[in-house]
Amino acid sequence: MNGILTGSAPTIALALWIALVFLLERLFAAERTPPGNCRRIARNFGLGVIALTTAPLLLILTGRIASGIEPLVPLAALGAAGALIVQLLALDIWTYGMHRAYHEIPLLWRFHAPHHLDEHLDASSAFRFHLGEILISAAARLVPALILGIGPATLLLFEAILTANAVFHHSNIRLPERFERALSHLIVTPAIHWRHHHNRRADTDSNYCAILSLWDRLFRSANPRPRTIGMAIGVEGEHDLGFGGLLAYPFRRRG
């Protein structure tokens, strides 16, 4: 859900992709941008700066810890390419499981809700994550890393792929319907993920996939309805907050 790959070529490729998506969603917008959109984008990137400076360091630490311990499930027999594919698939399904846990466990939801409080979606929404969620997710990735011996390079590669697709599926790009429907059978698209951000909790608690879309179908959490133009985005019964309010959200007293 958060981070960026270090290293010049992948970083440049990811930066160019982000810039392209930002351009396309302004040339071919599916939804009209709301009033105060510049402030919303600045707020999202404010959280994103924290995420993007913290997540890679935590992932490197996680990978180094895992690399120093014999994996529970060695993958050497698969060869380098085979091991990489298995590790990336394992990280993707683990991300699906963690995302679902953030919705189903109240304590975790407190840290994930600031992401959902955004009342409009575009590429900047992909960077809107609370530092607490970054820390929890990085710590949780120790589990697949230790089981499969996933090192820093693979963790960062997965995070770059995850970030690239998150920018895409949060984006406000108007895509040809047939193209998006075909693509959605393989990866998460805006039509899938915008429904996840609908401010009706029944829809919010569905469509948890991050990269490949098959996990939702496999575990029966797929929502059959695509996004509709003008659907309300956010958290049911709540409104978006300022930067300080988002940081404080997980620690506020309830009721």
Side-chain angles (χ1 to χ4, degrees):
M1 284 172 288
N2 354 2
I4 194 167
L5 181 63
T6 55
S8 57
T11 301
I12 292 169
L14 184 55
L16 289 174
W17 170 250
I18 293 168
L20 176 62
V21 173
F22 264 85
L23 175 63
L24 290 176
E25 66 183 0
R26 277 145 188 82
L27 294 176
F28 308 103
E31 297 267 7
R32 231 178 240 187
T33 55
N37 195 48
C38 289
R39 289 193 303 272
R40 185 192 64 83
I41 290 175
R43 189 162 58 240
N44 289 353
F45 275 119
L47 290 172
V49 167
I50 298 172
L52 293 172
T53 53
T54 306
L57 298 176
L58 293 171
L59 291 171
I60 290 170
L61 177 61
T62 298
R64 285 180 176 171
I65 291 171
S67 297
I69 300 172
E70 191 69 25
L72 294 176
V73 181
L75 299 175
L78 300 177
L84 177 63
I85 291 170
V86 169
Q87 289 171 340
L88 292 176
L89 286 172
L91 288 169
D92 193 30
I93 194 170
W94 182 262
T95 302
Y96 163 87
M98 281 300 300
H99 191 183
R100 190 162 183 170
Y102 276 114
H103 282 253
E104 295 182 355
I105 299 173
L107 178 60
L108 294 182
W109 170 252
R110 285 180 173 231
F111 290 96
H112 186 57
H115 176 68
H116 277 271
L117 285 168
D118 204 349
E119 294 176 342
H120 177 70
L121 291 182
D122 61 18
S124 75
S125 305
F127 302 96
R128 178 188 169 119
F129 287 95
H130 194 279
L131 176 60
E133 181 171 353
I134 303 294
L135 295 172
I136 293 167
S137 296
R141 281 202 187 143
L142 262 175
V143 176
L146 289 171
I147 292 173
L148 299 175
I150 305 175
T154 301
L155 286 171
L156 291 169
L157 172 62
F158 175 79
E159 200 69 12
I161 296 169
L162 179 62
T163 300
N165 200 56
V167 167
F168 169 63
H169 65 233
H170 284 94
S171 72
N172 187 29
I173 298 175
R174 184 178 70 251
L175 296 170
E177 188 176 342
R178 286 186 180 180
F179 170 75
E180 183 164 9
R181 190 183 308 120
L183 191 61
S184 69
H185 291 297
L186 178 62
I187 66 170
V188 180
T189 66
I192 292 174
H193 201 70
W194 275 58
R195 175 60 64 174
H196 173 75
H197 279 267
H198 187 205
N199 75 348
R200 297 293 176 267
R201 191 64 194 245
D203 285 339
T204 303
D205 293 342
S206 67
N207 292 359
Y208 299 112
C209 287
I211 301 175
L212 298 179
S213 60
L214 66 92
W215 311 124
D216 276 311
R217 296 193 296 272
L218 184 62
F219 296 108
R220 301 187 178 183
S221 54
N223 193 320
R225 293 177 294 174
R227 76 172 173 185
T228 55
I229 300 302
M231 67 188 291
I233 300 299
V235 175
E236 188 170 4
E238 300 191 48
H239 296 287
D240 201 2
L241 301 168
F243 185 77
L246 292 171
L247 290 177
Y249 184 92
F251 313 106
R252 295 190 322 188
R253 293 183 103 180
R254 301 302 194 269

